[in-house]
Amino acid sequence: MKKMGLIAATAAMTVGLSVNASAADTLAAVKERGFVQCGVTTGVPGYSNPDDKGNWKGMDVDVCRGIAAATLGDASKVKYIPLNAKERFTALQSGEIDVLSRVTTWTLTRDSSLGLNFAGVTYYDGQGFLINKNLGVKSALELDGASMCIQSGTTTELNAADYFRENKMQFEPVVFDTADQTVKGFEAGRCDVLTSDQSQLYALRIKLSNPNSAMILPEIISKEPLGPVVRQGDDAWFNVVKWSLFAMINAEELGLTSKNIDGKKNSKNPNIARFVGAEGIKGTGLGLADNWAYNIVKQVGNYGEAFDRNLGMNSPLKIERGLNALWNKGGLQYAPPIR
Amino acid sequence: MSSDANKSPSASQKTRFWHDPAKRAILFQSLLVIAVLGFVGMIVQNTLHNLESRGITTGFAFLSQEAGFGIIQSLIDYSESSSYGRTFFVGLLNTLLVSVLGIIAATLLGFIMGIARLSNNWLISKVASAYVEIFRNIPLLIQIFFWYFAVLRALPSPRQSLEPIENIFINVRGLYMPEPIYGDGFGWVVAAFFIAVVAVFFISRWSKKRQDETGQRFPMLWTAAGLIIGLPLLVYWVMGSPLTWEAPVLKGFNFRGGMTIIPELAALWVALTIYTAAFIAEIVRSGIEAVSHGQTEAASALGLNRGKVLRLVVVPQAVRVIIPPLTSQYLNLIKNSSLATAIGYPDLVSVFAGTTLNQTGQAIEVIFMTMLVYLTLSLLVSAFMNWFNTRMALVER
Ligand SMILES: N[C@@H](CCC(=O)N[C@@H](CS)C(=O)NCC(=O)O)C(=O)O
């Protein structure tokens, strides 16, 4: 059935591409429509997953909410479109979504040949392996001959092949369409190993009926910078998405949180004054309201808050900040200044 | 026009060509064809231009790039360093494999169930109709998931494999069998087989002719079976058994060596077979019921026994009714095999329209090629079945 979606999207894309050449103005379209269409996963806890009331929650979801807060002044004005790995780029190219915020790795091929642009990095990740504890394996180098459950249409598929080839090992790839099926295949014992971006392994592990039966191997075999993606050729929208993410990171650096930002509206600190839109260029360049960055932090929170809530210590995943700490705290998260 | 026709009704020679309906039709049809072609050309042109201006790579150059991903089952040599073009053929052959297996098994099961539904035995006919009603009415995708996950859960891990027959192992990774290793002289065995087939062909022509002329029947079935099985066996024995088997052995995570049927193939095959056979059973039942009862009675009155009535009178007529709808079931099965992607069987849609499409991003080219494959396969099957149908059709004298 997924295939029908893909074919339909391709058909839509062919039709769309054959009539309209002008680069669409996504920002204007979003403002007119009144909500942002955001492509997310079909369900990876911590990144994008509907809670028991059907509200989407997660790090990637918070990026979408930040964009909605910046453009529309209301973080709840988002329509989430769940996509599996195979469908995601076609959905973006065909205009079905405005932004793809779905654990998507920034690679040369994707950036240069799909007509897409990556707007930054929400999470620095790397590929890892989840295995059944009772196999007694301690390192990925002991995996020669193993079967691996992999999700189709991911960088994971390629990295696994590279890694095993490089280490002269063999493996049997069992490739599924969605995260759910991949997990089920692993649970049913079809594979010895489930491989994916390491943070998603933590997330998928809590989906297992017995999470303690599985463990994550220490090796990380690739670089997976995950970030939001937009269509190439619409620079205004590209800027909006890019700076929405930068605002969240800058807010953490400036110590602005959803709780304290109201009290800092009249701050004498020039960086904060510019941030909340009291001074400086405000929203003019981006075509947004002057308080666009304030809205993001007030309604969604800063990068650190979003991280802790979804992936970090206040979440079931308990992932360390690691590479995703701010640059001045030993990590890689660094955003250009708002001024 | 009407005035024209009134003035010179006999001057049809001189009618202007736009007054001649036949010529006018040709003109309009050519205009239409030109317009349609022009429109298609414009769409293609425009699409290419827009793809380029949006920075999306186009063309078929990707087919020769290295694929870089693994595929679990391939009927031809394939490795991570093979090209994207090769992934197309790997996927295509896997699609053909499951389709052919599915068509054979569904036909057999469908015929058995269809005939069983007409059985006078209450139990048999009820079992057959329950089968048809259940499996025809559950969506195929759900059946595929059922067979896949239900079967997976029931099977043991590689280290606790079942070994029903020596050197054949069943576990959650699949069915492992010894692989035949052909020694010197095995070619002769194969040759003997083909010689037997050819011989059977000629003997059957001769026996038919003889029956037409003299009315004597020849035990064709037994002769054929004896020749086709016996001759190769004899040669095999004469050549000193030129065939050995390489058994699979448990090593590390799993068995190595031998031949494997992966659970994805097994589940898809079973699901496609059971689902399609339910429809075929109905087609067979209605085909047989379409032969009027008078025919059966007339045949019995001639003194033919039950088996011969079926074989000589009922089946040949039923087959004519059965073949056209059977063709559409075959086409459905081929197209339904693309649901493979849901359980990770590496068919064309999963490998080529899935992974290859995603890694290269060339959706339009890849989907175009994939659609062309299904179209071609469907047309080939239809053509074959039409040919078969004309052969079986009533020869009216
Ligand atoms: N970062 C990788 C992998 C992303 C990915 O799709 N990961 C899987 C984890 S198994 C996932 O999130 N699947 C969720 C879904 O398909 O809805 C990529 O961009 O190719």
Short mmCIF file of all heavy atoms in Angstrom, two decimals, chain B residues 275-334:
data_model
loop_
_atom_site.label_atom_id
_atom_site.label_comp_id
_atom_site.label_asym_id
_atom_site.label_seq_id
_atom_site.Cartn_x
_atom_site.Cartn_y
_atom_site.Cartn_z
N TYR B 275 -4.27 -16.94 -1.55
CA TYR B 275 -5.22 -15.87 -1.90
C TYR B 275 -5.73 -16.07 -3.33
O TYR B 275 -6.92 -16.10 -3.59
CB TYR B 275 -4.51 -14.53 -1.75
CG TYR B 275 -5.33 -13.32 -2.09
CD1 TYR B 275 -6.31 -12.85 -1.22
CD2 TYR B 275 -5.11 -12.62 -3.28
CE1 TYR B 275 -7.04 -11.73 -1.53
CE2 TYR B 275 -5.85 -11.49 -3.59
CZ TYR B 275 -6.81 -11.04 -2.71
OH TYR B 275 -7.54 -9.92 -3.01
N THR B 276 -4.81 -16.21 -4.27
CA THR B 276 -5.22 -16.30 -5.67
C THR B 276 -5.98 -17.59 -5.94
O THR B 276 -6.93 -17.62 -6.72
CB THR B 276 -3.98 -16.20 -6.59
OG1 THR B 276 -3.17 -15.13 -6.13
CG2 THR B 276 -4.39 -15.96 -8.02
N ALA B 277 -5.57 -18.69 -5.27
CA ALA B 277 -6.25 -19.97 -5.50
C ALA B 277 -7.71 -19.89 -5.11
O ALA B 277 -8.56 -20.56 -5.71
CB ALA B 277 -5.55 -21.08 -4.72
N ALA B 278 -8.05 -19.06 -4.12
CA ALA B 278 -9.45 -18.93 -3.73
C ALA B 278 -10.27 -18.37 -4.90
O ALA B 278 -11.40 -18.80 -5.14
CB ALA B 278 -9.58 -18.03 -2.51
N PHE B 279 -9.70 -17.44 -5.63
CA PHE B 279 -10.42 -16.90 -6.79
C PHE B 279 -10.45 -17.93 -7.92
O PHE B 279 -11.46 -18.10 -8.60
CB PHE B 279 -9.74 -15.62 -7.29
CG PHE B 279 -9.90 -14.46 -6.35
CD1 PHE B 279 -8.99 -14.22 -5.33
CD2 PHE B 279 -10.99 -13.60 -6.47
CE1 PHE B 279 -9.16 -13.17 -4.46
CE2 PHE B 279 -11.16 -12.54 -5.61
CZ PHE B 279 -10.24 -12.32 -4.60
N ILE B 280 -9.31 -18.60 -8.11
CA ILE B 280 -9.26 -19.59 -9.19
C ILE B 280 -10.27 -20.70 -8.94
O ILE B 280 -10.93 -21.18 -9.86
CB ILE B 280 -7.82 -20.14 -9.35
CG1 ILE B 280 -6.90 -19.01 -9.83
CG2 ILE B 280 -7.79 -21.30 -10.33
CD1 ILE B 280 -5.47 -19.41 -10.06
N ALA B 281 -10.42 -21.09 -7.67
CA ALA B 281 -11.37 -22.14 -7.34
C ALA B 281 -12.77 -21.76 -7.82
O ALA B 281 -13.49 -22.57 -8.40
CB ALA B 281 -11.38 -22.39 -5.83
N GLU B 282 -13.15 -20.51 -7.59
CA GLU B 282 -14.47 -20.06 -8.04
C GLU B 282 -14.58 -20.09 -9.56
O GLU B 282 -15.62 -20.44 -10.11
CB GLU B 282 -14.71 -18.63 -7.53
CG GLU B 282 -15.20 -18.57 -6.11
CD GLU B 282 -16.49 -19.33 -5.93
OE1 GLU B 282 -17.58 -18.78 -6.13
OE2 GLU B 282 -16.39 -20.53 -5.59
N ILE B 283 -13.49 -19.69 -10.21
CA ILE B 283 -13.50 -19.68 -11.67
C ILE B 283 -13.67 -21.10 -12.21
O ILE B 283 -14.44 -21.36 -13.13
CB ILE B 283 -12.19 -19.05 -12.19
CG1 ILE B 283 -12.18 -17.56 -11.84
CG2 ILE B 283 -12.04 -19.27 -13.68
CD1 ILE B 283 -10.86 -16.88 -12.11
N VAL B 284 -12.95 -22.04 -11.59
CA VAL B 284 -13.02 -23.43 -12.03
C VAL B 284 -14.43 -23.98 -11.78
O VAL B 284 -15.03 -24.62 -12.65
CB VAL B 284 -11.97 -24.27 -11.29
CG1 VAL B 284 -12.20 -25.75 -11.52
CG2 VAL B 284 -10.58 -23.87 -11.74
N ARG B 285 -14.96 -23.70 -10.59
CA ARG B 285 -16.30 -24.20 -10.28
C ARG B 285 -17.31 -23.67 -11.30
O ARG B 285 -18.07 -24.44 -11.89
CB ARG B 285 -16.71 -23.73 -8.88
CG ARG B 285 -18.11 -24.19 -8.49
CD ARG B 285 -18.55 -23.57 -7.18
NE ARG B 285 -18.61 -22.11 -7.25
CZ ARG B 285 -19.60 -21.43 -7.79
NH1 ARG B 285 -20.62 -22.05 -8.31
NH2 ARG B 285 -19.57 -20.11 -7.81
N SER B 286 -17.27 -22.35 -11.55
CA SER B 286 -18.28 -21.82 -12.46
C SER B 286 -18.04 -22.33 -13.88
O SER B 286 -19.00 -22.55 -14.62
CB SER B 286 -18.29 -20.30 -12.42
OG SER B 286 -17.04 -19.81 -12.82
N GLY B 287 -16.77 -22.55 -14.23
CA GLY B 287 -16.48 -23.08 -15.56
C GLY B 287 -17.08 -24.46 -15.74
O GLY B 287 -17.68 -24.77 -16.78
N ILE B 288 -16.94 -25.30 -14.73
CA ILE B 288 -17.47 -26.66 -14.84
C ILE B 288 -18.99 -26.63 -14.83
O ILE B 288 -19.65 -27.31 -15.61
CB ILE B 288 -16.92 -27.53 -13.69
CG1 ILE B 288 -15.42 -27.74 -13.90
CG2 ILE B 288 -17.65 -28.87 -13.65
CD1 ILE B 288 -14.75 -28.53 -12.82
N GLU B 289 -19.53 -25.75 -13.99
CA GLU B 289 -20.99 -25.69 -13.94
C GLU B 289 -21.59 -25.13 -15.21
O GLU B 289 -22.77 -25.32 -15.51
CB GLU B 289 -21.44 -24.87 -12.72
CG GLU B 289 -21.32 -25.67 -11.45
CD GLU B 289 -21.84 -24.93 -10.23
OE1 GLU B 289 -21.94 -23.69 -10.29
OE2 GLU B 289 -22.13 -25.61 -9.24
N ALA B 290 -20.75 -24.41 -15.98
CA ALA B 290 -21.26 -23.83 -17.21
C ALA B 290 -21.50 -24.88 -18.29
O ALA B 290 -22.20 -24.63 -19.27
CB ALA B 290 -20.29 -22.77 -17.72
N VAL B 291 -20.87 -26.05 -18.13
CA VAL B 291 -21.10 -27.12 -19.11
C VAL B 291 -22.45 -27.77 -18.79
O VAL B 291 -22.65 -28.28 -17.69
CB VAL B 291 -19.98 -28.17 -19.03
CG1 VAL B 291 -20.24 -29.30 -20.02
CG2 VAL B 291 -18.64 -27.52 -19.28
N SER B 292 -23.34 -27.73 -19.75
CA SER B 292 -24.70 -28.12 -19.41
C SER B 292 -24.77 -29.60 -19.03
O SER B 292 -24.00 -30.43 -19.52
CB SER B 292 -25.64 -27.82 -20.56
OG SER B 292 -25.60 -28.89 -21.47
N HIS B 293 -25.68 -29.89 -18.15
CA HIS B 293 -25.77 -31.23 -17.60
C HIS B 293 -26.10 -32.25 -18.68
O HIS B 293 -25.68 -33.41 -18.61
CB HIS B 293 -26.83 -31.24 -16.49
CG HIS B 293 -26.72 -32.42 -15.60
ND1 HIS B 293 -25.56 -32.69 -14.89
CD2 HIS B 293 -27.58 -33.41 -15.31
CE1 HIS B 293 -25.73 -33.80 -14.20
NE2 HIS B 293 -26.95 -34.27 -14.45
N GLY B 294 -26.80 -31.79 -19.70
CA GLY B 294 -27.15 -32.67 -20.80
C GLY B 294 -25.93 -33.31 -21.44
O GLY B 294 -25.94 -34.49 -21.83
N GLN B 295 -24.86 -32.55 -21.49
CA GLN B 295 -23.61 -33.06 -22.07
C GLN B 295 -23.11 -34.26 -21.28
O GLN B 295 -22.71 -35.27 -21.85
CB GLN B 295 -22.55 -31.96 -22.03
CG GLN B 295 -22.92 -30.73 -22.79
CD GLN B 295 -22.35 -30.77 -24.18
OE1 GLN B 295 -21.49 -31.59 -24.49
NE2 GLN B 295 -22.84 -29.91 -25.05
N THR B 296 -23.11 -34.10 -19.95
CA THR B 296 -22.64 -35.18 -19.10
C THR B 296 -23.52 -36.41 -19.29
O THR B 296 -23.03 -37.54 -19.42
CB THR B 296 -22.71 -34.74 -17.63
OG1 THR B 296 -22.38 -33.37 -17.56
CG2 THR B 296 -21.79 -35.55 -16.77
N GLU B 297 -24.83 -36.16 -19.31
CA GLU B 297 -25.74 -37.29 -19.44
C GLU B 297 -25.57 -37.98 -20.78
O GLU B 297 -25.53 -39.21 -20.86
CB GLU B 297 -27.18 -36.80 -19.27
CG GLU B 297 -27.52 -36.61 -17.80
CD GLU B 297 -28.86 -35.96 -17.59
OE1 GLU B 297 -29.46 -35.49 -18.58
OE2 GLU B 297 -29.30 -35.93 -16.43
N ALA B 298 -25.41 -37.16 -21.82
CA ALA B 298 -25.24 -37.74 -23.14
C ALA B 298 -23.98 -38.58 -23.18
O ALA B 298 -23.95 -39.69 -23.73
CB ALA B 298 -25.16 -36.63 -24.18
N ALA B 299 -22.91 -38.06 -22.56
CA ALA B 299 -21.64 -38.80 -22.56
C ALA B 299 -21.79 -40.11 -21.80
O ALA B 299 -21.31 -41.16 -22.27
CB ALA B 299 -20.55 -37.94 -21.93
N SER B 300 -22.47 -40.08 -20.66
CA SER B 300 -22.65 -41.33 -19.91
C SER B 300 -23.49 -42.30 -20.72
O SER B 300 -23.24 -43.51 -20.71
CB SER B 300 -23.35 -41.09 -18.58
OG SER B 300 -22.96 -39.89 -18.02
N ALA B 301 -24.48 -41.74 -21.44
CA ALA B 301 -25.34 -42.60 -22.23
C ALA B 301 -24.54 -43.32 -23.31
O ALA B 301 -24.87 -44.44 -23.71
CB ALA B 301 -26.46 -41.78 -22.86
N LEU B 302 -23.45 -42.67 -23.76
CA LEU B 302 -22.61 -43.31 -24.75
C LEU B 302 -21.75 -44.41 -24.13
O LEU B 302 -21.01 -45.09 -24.83
CB LEU B 302 -21.68 -42.29 -25.40
CG LEU B 302 -22.33 -41.37 -26.42
CD1 LEU B 302 -21.31 -40.38 -26.95
CD2 LEU B 302 -22.91 -42.19 -27.57
N GLY B 303 -21.78 -44.48 -22.80
CA GLY B 303 -21.07 -45.54 -22.12
C GLY B 303 -19.69 -45.13 -21.63
O GLY B 303 -18.89 -45.97 -21.23
N LEU B 304 -19.39 -43.84 -21.64
CA LEU B 304 -18.10 -43.41 -21.10
C LEU B 304 -18.18 -43.47 -19.57
O LEU B 304 -19.22 -43.14 -19.00
CB LEU B 304 -17.79 -41.99 -21.53
CG LEU B 304 -17.62 -41.78 -23.04
CD1 LEU B 304 -17.33 -40.32 -23.33
CD2 LEU B 304 -16.49 -42.65 -23.56
N ASN B 305 -17.06 -43.85 -18.93
CA ASN B 305 -17.09 -43.85 -17.48
C ASN B 305 -16.87 -42.43 -16.94
O ASN B 305 -16.56 -41.50 -17.69
CB ASN B 305 -16.10 -44.86 -16.90
CG ASN B 305 -14.67 -44.47 -17.23
OD1 ASN B 305 -14.36 -43.30 -17.41
ND2 ASN B 305 -13.80 -45.47 -17.33
N ARG B 306 -17.00 -42.27 -15.62
CA ARG B 306 -16.97 -40.93 -15.02
C ARG B 306 -15.70 -40.16 -15.36
O ARG B 306 -15.75 -38.99 -15.73
CB ARG B 306 -17.11 -41.06 -13.50
CG ARG B 306 -18.34 -40.38 -12.95
CD ARG B 306 -18.33 -40.42 -11.45
NE ARG B 306 -17.82 -39.17 -10.89
CZ ARG B 306 -18.53 -38.06 -10.81
NH1 ARG B 306 -19.76 -38.02 -11.26
NH2 ARG B 306 -18.02 -36.96 -10.29
N GLY B 307 -14.56 -40.85 -15.23
CA GLY B 307 -13.29 -40.19 -15.52
C GLY B 307 -13.24 -39.69 -16.95
O GLY B 307 -12.83 -38.57 -17.23
N LYS B 308 -13.68 -40.55 -17.87
CA LYS B 308 -13.62 -40.15 -19.28
C LYS B 308 -14.62 -39.05 -19.60
O LYS B 308 -14.35 -38.18 -20.43
CB LYS B 308 -13.88 -41.37 -20.17
CG LYS B 308 -12.63 -42.22 -20.30
CD LYS B 308 -12.75 -43.25 -21.39
CE LYS B 308 -11.49 -44.09 -21.44
NZ LYS B 308 -11.79 -45.47 -21.81
N VAL B 309 -15.77 -39.08 -18.92
CA VAL B 309 -16.74 -38.00 -19.13
C VAL B 309 -16.09 -36.67 -18.77
O VAL B 309 -16.14 -35.70 -19.53
CB VAL B 309 -18.00 -38.22 -18.27
CG1 VAL B 309 -18.90 -36.99 -18.33
CG2 VAL B 309 -18.75 -39.45 -18.74
N LEU B 310 -15.43 -36.67 -17.62
CA LEU B 310 -14.75 -35.45 -17.19
C LEU B 310 -13.68 -35.03 -18.19
O LEU B 310 -13.63 -33.91 -18.65
CB LEU B 310 -14.09 -35.67 -15.82
CG LEU B 310 -14.84 -35.17 -14.59
CD1 LEU B 310 -14.00 -35.42 -13.36
CD2 LEU B 310 -15.16 -33.69 -14.71
N ARG B 311 -12.82 -36.00 -18.52
CA ARG B 311 -11.64 -35.68 -19.30
C ARG B 311 -11.97 -35.34 -20.76
O ARG B 311 -11.37 -34.45 -21.35
CB ARG B 311 -10.67 -36.86 -19.25
CG ARG B 311 -9.25 -36.53 -19.66
CD ARG B 311 -8.27 -37.51 -19.04
NE ARG B 311 -8.61 -38.89 -19.36
CZ ARG B 311 -8.24 -39.51 -20.47
NH1 ARG B 311 -7.49 -38.87 -21.34
NH2 ARG B 311 -8.58 -40.75 -20.71
N LEU B 312 -12.94 -36.04 -21.32
CA LEU B 312 -13.18 -35.87 -22.75
C LEU B 312 -14.33 -34.91 -23.06
O LEU B 312 -14.38 -34.34 -24.14
CB LEU B 312 -13.48 -37.23 -23.40
CG LEU B 312 -12.34 -38.25 -23.28
CD1 LEU B 312 -12.79 -39.60 -23.81
CD2 LEU B 312 -11.12 -37.75 -24.06
N VAL B 313 -15.23 -34.74 -22.12
CA VAL B 313 -16.40 -33.92 -22.44
C VAL B 313 -16.46 -32.65 -21.60
O VAL B 313 -16.54 -31.54 -22.13
CB VAL B 313 -17.70 -34.74 -22.26
CG1 VAL B 313 -18.91 -33.85 -22.54
CG2 VAL B 313 -17.69 -35.94 -23.17
N VAL B 314 -16.37 -32.81 -20.30
CA VAL B 314 -16.59 -31.65 -19.44
C VAL B 314 -15.40 -30.69 -19.46
O VAL B 314 -15.54 -29.51 -19.78
CB VAL B 314 -16.91 -32.10 -17.99
CG1 VAL B 314 -17.09 -30.89 -17.10
CG2 VAL B 314 -18.16 -32.95 -17.98
N VAL B 315 -14.21 -31.23 -19.15
CA VAL B 315 -13.05 -30.34 -19.01
C VAL B 315 -12.75 -29.54 -20.29
O VAL B 315 -12.59 -28.32 -20.23
CB VAL B 315 -11.82 -31.12 -18.50
CG1 VAL B 315 -10.56 -30.28 -18.59
CG2 VAL B 315 -12.05 -31.56 -17.07
N PRO B 316 -12.71 -30.15 -21.47
CA PRO B 316 -12.40 -29.35 -22.65
C PRO B 316 -13.36 -28.18 -22.85
O PRO B 316 -12.96 -27.12 -23.32
CB PRO B 316 -12.53 -30.35 -23.81
CG PRO B 316 -12.34 -31.68 -23.18
CD PRO B 316 -12.88 -31.58 -21.80
N GLN B 317 -14.61 -28.38 -22.48
CA GLN B 317 -15.55 -27.27 -22.64
C GLN B 317 -15.42 -26.26 -21.50
O GLN B 317 -15.54 -25.05 -21.73
CB GLN B 317 -16.98 -27.80 -22.69
CG GLN B 317 -17.20 -28.71 -23.88
CD GLN B 317 -18.65 -29.11 -24.00
OE1 GLN B 317 -19.47 -28.32 -24.44
NE2 GLN B 317 -18.96 -30.33 -23.59
N ALA B 318 -15.16 -26.77 -20.31
CA ALA B 318 -15.03 -25.86 -19.16
C ALA B 318 -13.81 -24.96 -19.34
O ALA B 318 -13.86 -23.76 -19.04
CB ALA B 318 -14.91 -26.66 -17.87
N VAL B 319 -12.73 -25.54 -19.87
CA VAL B 319 -11.49 -24.78 -20.01
C VAL B 319 -11.71 -23.50 -20.81
O VAL B 319 -11.13 -22.46 -20.52
CB VAL B 319 -10.42 -25.69 -20.66
CG1 VAL B 319 -9.31 -24.87 -21.27
CG2 VAL B 319 -9.85 -26.62 -19.61
N ARG B 320 -12.58 -23.56 -21.80
CA ARG B 320 -12.84 -22.36 -22.61
C ARG B 320 -13.46 -21.25 -21.79
O ARG B 320 -13.23 -20.07 -22.04
CB ARG B 320 -13.78 -22.70 -23.76
CG ARG B 320 -13.14 -23.61 -24.73
CD ARG B 320 -14.07 -23.99 -25.85
NE ARG B 320 -13.47 -25.13 -26.50
CZ ARG B 320 -14.09 -26.27 -26.71
NH1 ARG B 320 -15.35 -26.42 -26.37
NH2 ARG B 320 -13.44 -27.26 -27.27
N VAL B 321 -14.26 -21.65 -20.82
CA VAL B 321 -14.88 -20.64 -19.97
C VAL B 321 -13.88 -20.16 -18.92
O VAL B 321 -13.90 -19.02 -18.49
CB VAL B 321 -16.12 -21.24 -19.27
CG1 VAL B 321 -16.83 -20.20 -18.43
CG2 VAL B 321 -17.05 -21.84 -20.29
N ILE B 322 -13.00 -21.07 -18.54
CA ILE B 322 -12.08 -20.77 -17.43
C ILE B 322 -10.94 -19.85 -17.85
O ILE B 322 -10.55 -18.96 -17.10
CB ILE B 322 -11.52 -22.10 -16.86
CG1 ILE B 322 -12.65 -22.86 -16.15
CG2 ILE B 322 -10.38 -21.85 -15.92
CD1 ILE B 322 -12.25 -24.24 -15.69
N ILE B 323 -10.40 -20.04 -19.04
CA ILE B 323 -9.14 -19.36 -19.37
C ILE B 323 -9.19 -17.83 -19.29
O ILE B 323 -8.33 -17.23 -18.65
CB ILE B 323 -8.61 -19.82 -20.74
CG1 ILE B 323 -8.11 -21.24 -20.58
CG2 ILE B 323 -7.47 -18.94 -21.22
CD1 ILE B 323 -7.65 -21.85 -21.87
N PRO B 324 -10.19 -17.16 -19.88
CA PRO B 324 -10.11 -15.69 -19.80
C PRO B 324 -10.06 -15.15 -18.37
O PRO B 324 -9.17 -14.34 -18.07
CB PRO B 324 -11.36 -15.24 -20.56
CG PRO B 324 -11.68 -16.38 -21.47
CD PRO B 324 -11.29 -17.61 -20.73
N PRO B 325 -10.96 -15.56 -17.46
CA PRO B 325 -10.82 -15.01 -16.10
C PRO B 325 -9.57 -15.51 -15.38
O PRO B 325 -9.03 -14.80 -14.52
CB PRO B 325 -12.08 -15.50 -15.38
CG PRO B 325 -12.60 -16.62 -16.17
CD PRO B 325 -12.17 -16.41 -17.58
N LEU B 326 -9.09 -16.69 -15.77
CA LEU B 326 -7.86 -17.19 -15.16
C LEU B 326 -6.70 -16.25 -15.51
O LEU B 326 -5.84 -15.97 -14.68
CB LEU B 326 -7.58 -18.60 -15.70
CG LEU B 326 -6.51 -19.41 -14.99
CD1 LEU B 326 -6.90 -19.62 -13.54
CD2 LEU B 326 -6.33 -20.76 -15.69
N THR B 327 -6.71 -15.76 -16.75
CA THR B 327 -5.66 -14.84 -17.16
C THR B 327 -5.63 -13.63 -16.23
O THR B 327 -4.56 -13.21 -15.80
CB THR B 327 -5.93 -14.34 -18.59
OG1 THR B 327 -6.21 -15.47 -19.39
CG2 THR B 327 -4.76 -13.59 -19.14
N SER B 328 -6.79 -13.09 -15.91
CA SER B 328 -6.73 -11.90 -15.06
C SER B 328 -6.24 -12.24 -13.67
O SER B 328 -5.60 -11.43 -13.02
CB SER B 328 -8.04 -11.13 -15.00
OG SER B 328 -9.11 -11.93 -15.29
N GLN B 329 -6.51 -13.47 -13.19
CA GLN B 329 -5.95 -13.86 -11.90
C GLN B 329 -4.43 -13.93 -11.96
O GLN B 329 -3.74 -13.52 -11.02
CB GLN B 329 -6.52 -15.19 -11.43
CG GLN B 329 -7.97 -15.12 -11.00
CD GLN B 329 -8.23 -14.00 -10.01
OE1 GLN B 329 -7.42 -13.72 -9.13
NE2 GLN B 329 -9.35 -13.32 -10.17
N TYR B 330 -3.90 -14.44 -13.06
CA TYR B 330 -2.43 -14.49 -13.19
C TYR B 330 -1.86 -13.07 -13.18
O TYR B 330 -0.84 -12.80 -12.54
CB TYR B 330 -2.03 -15.20 -14.49
CG TYR B 330 -2.29 -16.69 -14.47
CD1 TYR B 330 -2.16 -17.45 -15.63
CD2 TYR B 330 -2.66 -17.35 -13.31
CE1 TYR B 330 -2.39 -18.82 -15.63
CE2 TYR B 330 -2.91 -18.71 -13.30
CZ TYR B 330 -2.77 -19.45 -14.45
OH TYR B 330 -3.00 -20.79 -14.45
N LEU B 331 -2.53 -12.19 -13.90
CA LEU B 331 -2.04 -10.81 -13.94
C LEU B 331 -2.11 -10.19 -12.55
O LEU B 331 -1.18 -9.50 -12.11
CB LEU B 331 -2.86 -9.97 -14.92
CG LEU B 331 -2.84 -10.45 -16.37
CD1 LEU B 331 -3.64 -9.51 -17.25
CD2 LEU B 331 -1.42 -10.55 -16.88
N ASN B 332 -3.21 -10.46 -11.84
CA ASN B 332 -3.31 -9.95 -10.47
C ASN B 332 -2.18 -10.46 -9.61
O ASN B 332 -1.59 -9.73 -8.83
CB ASN B 332 -4.64 -10.38 -9.83
CG ASN B 332 -5.78 -9.53 -10.30
OD1 ASN B 332 -5.56 -8.47 -10.88
ND2 ASN B 332 -6.99 -9.99 -10.08
N LEU B 333 -1.90 -11.74 -9.74
CA LEU B 333 -0.86 -12.33 -8.90
C LEU B 333 0.48 -11.64 -9.16
O LEU B 333 1.20 -11.29 -8.22
CB LEU B 333 -0.76 -13.83 -9.16
CG LEU B 333 0.14 -14.58 -8.19
CD1 LEU B 333 -0.43 -15.95 -7.87
CD2 LEU B 333 1.55 -14.74 -8.73
N ILE B 334 0.79 -11.43 -10.43
CA ILE B 334 2.08 -10.79 -10.74
C ILE B 334 2.12 -9.40 -10.11
O ILE B 334 3.11 -9.02 -9.48
CB ILE B 334 2.27 -10.69 -12.26
CG1 ILE B 334 2.39 -12.09 -12.85
CG2 ILE B 334 3.49 -9.86 -12.59
CD1 ILE B 334 2.47 -12.11 -14.35
#
